[in-house]
Amino acid sequence: MRNYDSIQHVRGDSLFIDDITPPQGTLYGYVYYSPIAHGKILQLDFSEALKSTGVKGIFSAKDIPGVNQIGGIIQDENLFAEDSVHFVGHPIAFIVADTQLHAHEAAKKIKSIYEKLPAIFDPRQAAAENKLIIPHRKFELGNIDSAWSECEYIIEGSVESGGQEHIYLETQGSIAFPTESGIKIISATQGPTAVQRTAAKILNLPMNRIEVDVQRLGGGFGGKEDQATAWACMAALAAYKLNTPVKLVLPRQEDIRLTGKRHPYSSDYKIGLTKDGKILAYEVTFYQNAGATADLSPAILDRTLFHCTNSYFIPNVRATGLSCKTNLPPFTAFRGFGGPQGMFVIETAIYKAALVMGMEPAEIQRKNLLNEGDELPYGQKTFNCNAIRCFDELDHKFSVKNIFQEIEEFNMKNKLVKKGAAIMPICFGISFTTTFLNQASALVHIYTDGSIRVNTAAVEMGQGVNAKLKRIAARTLSVNESRIKVDTTNTSRISNTSPTAASKGTDLNGFAVIDACNILIERIKKVAAEELGKDDASKISIIDENVFYENEPTILTFIDLVKKAYLKRISLTAQAHHSTPNIFFDLKSNKGNPFAYHIYGSAIIQVTLDCLRGIYEFDSVKVVHDFGESIDQIIDIGQMEGGIVQGLGWMTIEELIWNGEGKLLTDALSTYKIPDIHFAPKEIKIHALENSPNDFGPLRSKAIGEPPFMYGIGAYFALTNAMRAFRPNMKIKYDAPLTPEKILLNLYNK
Ligand code: MTE
Ligand code: HPA
Ligand code: MOS
């Protein structure tokens, strides 16, 4: 099956926000924002800007009819700055004009005077000054304090990991227009309900006066889970005030400057092992750079703690997380949601331990992999645990031992070019760790011509959720997929939606679709029994649109039943709500069963490093991954490849640099390098773990969206292995991304 969206994409037929023909009279907005990282606004003068060509209005905090508040988890973020600004890019006002150019020109005429205040950019400094978003979080298992005395080796260290800009192809944007009942917003958001709820609050309207509609996103990757809201609210505010449609699409550079990214982390670890490599104790402290407001940082910090031991069983763990408030734009969700930051630290600890102990990292990894029934630091016990299966299968399928041997031989023969490889096992929990978000609903209509329309809370952002939902509906109803159209995501049709995130889109909405389709099946089976003059509708089955009674063919078809049902005044519309069963988490003890299940897999990443220039190429990424029973293999392979390349980019070339004043210097694609087709590994080989049906996923599938990202972490260690082949006694500071510059510094420093 093809991802049917891709055919439209290559023809240019898909409508993104900027492709929608705006209603006549639409005005265009531009965001005016703080040029300084922290300060008081002493003066703000719009008078010249208001006289500028084409300007229809300038809106700021004082124009908000409701409350100037867009915070999701914590109410600590205003839509427009009031009397102080807290980061470069902090929105201050929204200028609306007849063209985007006029709005932008007017912005240059706004006069503002600030009193600069001291700014903090380093999370450790913020922690030292007690500038925390929430009180620290702590996950504990076993008894760490008594465990150290049993360890033969204790290794300590620090790890830095950088942020990451989303670079979704479609920048943030929305169009808002007044309707008879209120405001309709077309938004590129992963969270339509967040937009609806927040716009209602800003405009002081009940939620039933705001309609949010999402056709699709040109990528979200977490960057539009929470952070599409502000732009939608600005357009809505202006549309409401001016009673005219208003469109706001951020230019790329502004998008990079104004929006949050993956959180940079600075972490300390201490790991204790027996002499044969069993990990007995692990203590870790994460300093999360949260930026100026909470956004999703507390939930992201929690996922760092959930995944701090990756796919290993460690009996004694203490993991502490501090969400540190700094004067940078609020960092936000990005594929993996804090998980990768936690997993990078434990992998570093293992690699460092291997070095000290003279062992192979893979041996330590293998010895400590999770087994069935092992307890994770948050109290959940593993089940259907495939960590070891994937790791061993990787060896079988791809002859991992030979790979390492060949690399050694290559390195003996070559002086300036070195190869390296590393294994990266993953374990990722599937469910929103915020338990209440694990719900979704579906509304399915069968029309009298037999065509079917499916509505859910899921947002299509390139991950193929619509194609998967289409298949799920077709399979459940046993009809041809061509009958089914998946509708836009719309808050008037589906209420109280959770964002499409946490890799749960297909799971949550897919189960809701199954439930709604089953209601319809029951109804039309009854119609079939009546038509056939039978009493027992349970003996009816519908297979490939044909109706059977006791497994014998009848003259009836699906389309006959639809027509008959209508004439019999039977509803051909069904709604269903699904919530993930048996999950819970206690935020006081930090124990529970937060995840419906876990994703497992193992990858080996191979790299060739030019030790003269510091540049490198990824030769291959080979993976054994647990897909469950894939709903759509092409889509799932696409998610794997995209995730892996995005993960490699985070670890190696994507580097965010702010100057000493908190201004982002890498705010364009000329200075912020993202992976392209030349950077991508020459070979990506993916083997699906066989025989692994998942009882907790629709059609026995497993979620796919985020987990592959974390295979990319192996790139860091593949590189350090190649570097060590060149300079065996190299002392390296673990500081991702490992750019060519940093490689040269590490290879040649004194
Ligand atoms: N794939 C594409 N092409 N575009 C995206 O924006 N987002 C990722 C992942 N894969 C994304 C993607 C993230 S962060 C998540 S949480 C999941 O898709 C969300 O979709 P799902 O829940 O349907 O897997
Ligand atoms: N993942 C993604 N988004 C979220 C989560 C999560 O676990 N919890 C709250 N929002
Ligand atoms: Mo994904 S970071 O949960 O949108």
Side-chain angles (χ1 to χ4, degrees), residues 272-484:
L273 305 91
T274 64
K275 67 171 179 307
D276 54 355
K278 199 101 184 102
I279 305 171
L280 291 184
Y282 183 57
E283 186 164 9
V284 59
T285 304
F286 298 104
Y287 296 89
Q288 177 198 54
N289 191 338
T293 61
D295 191 86
L296 292 163
S297 296
I300 290 163
L301 183 68
D302 270 10
R303 203 176 263 278
T304 304
L305 298 174
F306 281 112
H307 295 315
C308 73
T309 54
N310 189 13
S311 52
Y312 309 108
F313 172 65
I314 306 180
N316 303 288
V317 178
R318 180 185 291 139
T320 309
L322 297 104
S323 186
C324 311
K325 197 175 191 153
T326 60
N327 295 103
L328 292 172
F331 291 95
T332 194
F334 197 143
R335 207 171 195 168
F337 206 73
Q341 289 95 321
M343 284 153 73
F344 180 50
V345 180
I346 182 73
E347 292 301 321
T348 300
I350 289 174
Y351 274 79
K352 189 100 173 275
L355 211 60
V356 171
M357 296 166 69
M359 284 176 84
E360 286 305 322
E363 199 184 335
I364 300 181
Q365 287 174 325
R366 175 68 179 78
K367 269 205 177 116
N368 293 284
L369 286 175
L370 287 162
N371 267 298
E372 189 73 7
D374 278 343
E375 186 172 344
L376 292 154
Y378 42 94
Q380 185 158 3
K381 294 204 168 76
T382 63
F383 59 91
N384 297 338
C385 177
N386 287 323
I388 292 176
R389 268 185 78 197
C390 290
F391 198 91
D392 289 351
E393 186 96 347
L394 184 77
D395 195 8
H396 290 150
K397 281 278 160 208
F398 301 112
S399 314
V400 167
K401 285 187 193 73
N402 289 351
I403 293 175
F404 281 108
Q405 206 169 343
E406 280 163 27
I407 287 175
E408 215 172 296
E409 283 162 20
F410 178 94
N411 287 345
M412 290 215 288
K413 288 192 214 127
N414 292 276
K415 238 182 142 159
L416 291 176
V417 179
K418 298 290 184 187
K419 286 186 184 284
I423 297 179
M424 181 66 201
I426 63 153
C427 167
F428 195 79
I430 298 301
S431 285
F432 286 93
T433 60
T434 308
T435 304
F436 72 81
L437 291 174
N438 294 287
Q439 55 177 315
S441 56
L443 177 68
V444 179
H445 302 304
I446 305 177
Y447 296 99
T448 50
D449 64 354
S451 67
I452 298 162
R453 198 137 173 130
V454 173
N455 291 277
T456 71
V459 168
E460 176 61 49
M461 54 187 123
Q463 87 280 40
V465 69
N466 283 358
K468 287 185 174 182
L469 293 175
K470 184 172 178 165
R471 174 156 288 187
I472 288 169
R475 289 256 184 100
T476 312
L477 295 168
S478 203
V479 299
N480 196 301
E481 279 178 18
S482 62
R483 289 196 184 278
I484 293 162

Side-chain angles (χ1 to χ4, degrees), residues 686-704:
I686 294 158
H687 176 75
L689 188 74
E690 280 145 19
N691 226 335
S692 175
N694 177 28
D695 291 337
F696 306 93
L699 309 184
R700 317 191 110 198
S701 67
K702 280 197 168 184
I704 181 72

